[in-house]
Amino acid sequence: MGKKMKQLALAGSMMLCMSAQAQVSDDIVKIGVLTDMAGVTADVTGKGSVVAAQMAVQEFGQTVLGKPIEIVSADHQHKTDLGASIARQWYDTGKVDAIVDIPNSSIALAVQRIAKQSKKIVMFSGAGTTALTNDQCSPYGFHWTYDTYALAHGTASAVVQNGGKDWFIIASDYAFGAQLAKDTTQVVTAGGGKILGTVRHPLNLSDFASFLLQAQTSGAQVVGIANAGNDTITAIKQAGEFGITQSGQSLAAMILMIDDVHSLGLDVAQGTYLTTASYWDMDDKTREWSNKFMQQTGKMPSMLQAGVYGSVLHYLKAIKAAGSDDADQVAAAMRTLPINDVFTHGAKIREDGRVLRDMYLARVKSPAESKYPWDYFTIVQKIPPEQTTMPLSQSTCPMVPAASK
């Protein structure tokens, strides 16, 4: 190639680079972690979710299309109006391109509506309601880590198959708990079991005595705990004080994470089955990433924090592939690219925004089985997405083609 041709090629390359850079709005890609910093789910999201997002940015290389990436964060305090206000301000004037995490289904649904109106990306790791990918789905919304359908079809199915047919459910009284109780009920009855009663409690409850008494007097074989975070920990601890398991009933925590087990201790939590999207001790890569996370947080990552990391990394890959941070182009690229990160391999995004991923049925180890710090889970089996994802034939999402229903 002659000198002139080389100059032309170089000039063309520079123009392409400049064109790509010009496609980043405000000359920055800004991602907001909307989370719970001090409430009932702070241990499994909160500051750890912010660290996870930052680790994704570091892994990606700190810039995308030649522009810097910034992580901002805020505490929604489990107040729907506050969470919605933060999201609107971020999207409208804060130059935030995408919001992630959002533990609390009621807040997540509110943010989904705002993101759709604003034509901005939102990726849910902390929220669990299936409404996010059903009647309230959005072309800009992605349900990343889990939903109540996945938890119910993992944990409840396993308990029913092992003979736990009669259930009493204690659920938190907001969108997540209501949906989790509903999904659990469907799984139990489909497996030939019965629900003898369901009660709902307010968020962040300190005294479960009246609810546990109802569960105890129901005579149910299984007491299903359909709440999250500190509520789960408190309910299980007080169930022990009430002698629930000593009297022959079993506990089934519909969502139980590694931080919850750490707080409870293996003596209390041992033998409990749970469904998880990830575990820090799966292989060398998950251990390496998790040990870096622990250096910054003092603990191992929950599946929700691992999901924040994965969602941010995939979003940045999509911007690079699209050559723009335009939400429509990025959303299309996110649906096209396979999802691969330390914890997730070959997952994909469905028409309704649901991430199709492998889940894992795990059992909490006994103190004797645990050999080193945070060695809490035995992975019983991998569960393919076909078993833990609501079929499109049941979908109420307007984006799902009629032929798929």
Side-chain angles (χ1 to χ4, degrees), residues 8 73 111 140 233 285 313 324 341 402:
L8 288 171
S73 63
V111 174
Y140 307 103
I233 293 168
K285 289 185 177 180
L313 187 62
S324 170
D341 58 60

Side-chain angles (χ1 to χ4, degrees), residues 60 64-65 315-324 329 333-334 337:
F60 190 78
V64 59
L65 301 180
Y315 173 67
L316 296 173
K317 290 178 180 178
I319 291 176
K320 182 179 179 180
S324 170
Q329 296 181 48
M334 288 177 69
L337 294 172

Side-chain angles (χ1 to χ4, degrees), residues 244-358:
I244 295 286
T245 55
Q246 294 92 323
S247 63
Q249 292 177 297
S250 298
L251 289 177
M254 301 317 300
I255 179 168
L256 187 70
M257 292 184 231
I258 194 165
D259 304 75
D260 304 328
V261 173
H262 188 72
S263 296
L264 286 165
L266 294 180
D267 281 332
V268 175
Q270 63 180 307
T272 304
Y273 283 95
L274 61 121
T275 301
T276 185
S278 61
Y279 180 46
W280 75 271
D281 204 13
M282 294 284 283
D283 55 44
D284 289 342
K285 289 185 177 180
T286 60
R287 283 187 283 273
E288 180 183 1
W289 191 95
S290 299
N291 282 319
K292 291 179 182 177
F293 180 90
M294 190 174 196
Q295 289 171 12
Q296 299 182 62
T297 63
K299 64 187 191 63
M300 290 301 178
S302 71
M303 71 170 181
L304 307 185
Q305 292 157 343
V308 169
Y309 150 77
S311 64
V312 170
L313 187 62
H314 189 71
Y315 173 67
L316 296 173
K317 290 178 180 178
I319 291 176
K320 182 179 179 180
S324 170
D325 67 348
D326 174 79
D328 289 298
Q329 296 181 48
V330 172
M334 288 177 69
R335 285 181 164 86
T336 301
L337 294 172
I339 300 171
N340 289 297
D341 58 60
V342 168
F343 296 98
T344 308
H345 309 288
K348 60 182 181 179
I349 299 173
R350 204 166 60 175
E351 299 97 312
D352 57 358
R354 182 70 169 91
V355 170
L356 302 179
R357 62 163 67 251
D358 291 327

Side-chain angles (χ1 to χ4, degrees), residues 90-367:
W90 273 355
Y91 284 145
D92 291 350
T93 61
K95 299 181 180 180
V96 168
D97 301 288
I99 296 176
V100 299
D101 200 10
I102 320 181
N104 185 301
S105 291
S106 298
I107 298 172
L109 290 168
V111 174
Q112 174 105 307
R113 290 190 290 271
I114 294 168
K116 187 175 182 179
Q117 294 165 2
S118 303
K119 295 187 176 180
K120 296 281 191 175
I121 299 294
V122 59
M123 297 171 284
F124 306 99
S125 184
T129 178
T130 55
L132 290 166
T133 52
N134 273 292
D135 60 300
Q136 298 193 46
C137 67
S138 164
Y140 307 103
F142 301 90
H143 206 168
W144 205 263
T145 305
Y146 80 105
D147 62 18
T148 55
Y149 185 98
L151 298 178
H153 283 74
T155 306
S157 290
V159 173
V160 172
Q161 289 170 12
N162 280 281
K165 298 288 188 179
D166 295 339
W167 286 59
F168 187 95
I169 299 175
I170 299 174
S172 52
D173 192 14
Y174 71 110
F176 169 78
Q179 187 65 56
L180 186 52
K182 179 180 177 182
D183 290 341
T184 301
T185 296
Q186 291 175 344
V187 171
V188 171
T189 54
K194 294 182 295 183
I195 303 297
L196 302 186
T198 300
V199 292
R200 295 184 183 180
H201 67 83
L203 192 66
N204 211 9
L205 187 66
S206 61
D207 185 3
F208 280 82
S210 63
F211 303 104
L212 291 167
L213 181 61
Q214 291 179 66
Q216 197 169 43
T217 56
S218 74
Q221 294 171 285
V222 182
V223 179
I225 308 296
N227 51 25
N230 291 342
D231 282 334
T232 302
I233 293 168
T234 303
I236 292 176
K237 282 183 176 178
Q238 293 183 6
E241 296 167 2
F242 251 74
I244 295 286
T245 55
Q246 294 92 323
S247 63
Q249 292 177 297
S250 298
L251 289 177
M254 301 317 300
I255 179 168
L256 187 70
M257 292 184 231
I258 194 165
D259 304 75
D260 304 328
V261 173
H262 188 72
S263 296
L264 286 165
L266 294 180
D267 281 332
V268 175
Q270 63 180 307
T272 304
Y273 283 95
L274 61 121
T275 301
T276 185
S278 61
Y279 180 46
W280 75 271
D281 204 13
M282 294 284 283
D283 55 44
D284 289 342
K285 289 185 177 180
T286 60
R287 283 187 283 273
E288 180 183 1
W289 191 95
S290 299
N291 282 319
K292 291 179 182 177
F293 180 90
M294 190 174 196
Q295 289 171 12
Q296 299 182 62
T297 63
K299 64 187 191 63
M300 290 301 178
S302 71
M303 71 170 181
L304 307 185
Q305 292 157 343
V308 169
Y309 150 77
S311 64
V312 170
L313 187 62
H314 189 71
Y315 173 67
L316 296 173
K317 290 178 180 178
I319 291 176
K320 182 179 179 180
S324 170
D325 67 348
D326 174 79
D328 289 298
Q329 296 181 48
V330 172
M334 288 177 69
R335 285 181 164 86
T336 301
L337 294 172
I339 300 171
N340 289 297
D341 58 60
V342 168
F343 296 98
T344 308
H345 309 288
K348 60 182 181 179
I349 299 173
R350 204 166 60 175
E351 299 97 312
D352 57 358
R354 182 70 169 91
V355 170
L356 302 179
R357 62 163 67 251
D358 291 327
M359 301 288 284
Y360 301 90
L361 180 67
R363 180 183 57 80
V364 178
K365 291 184 175 183
S366 68

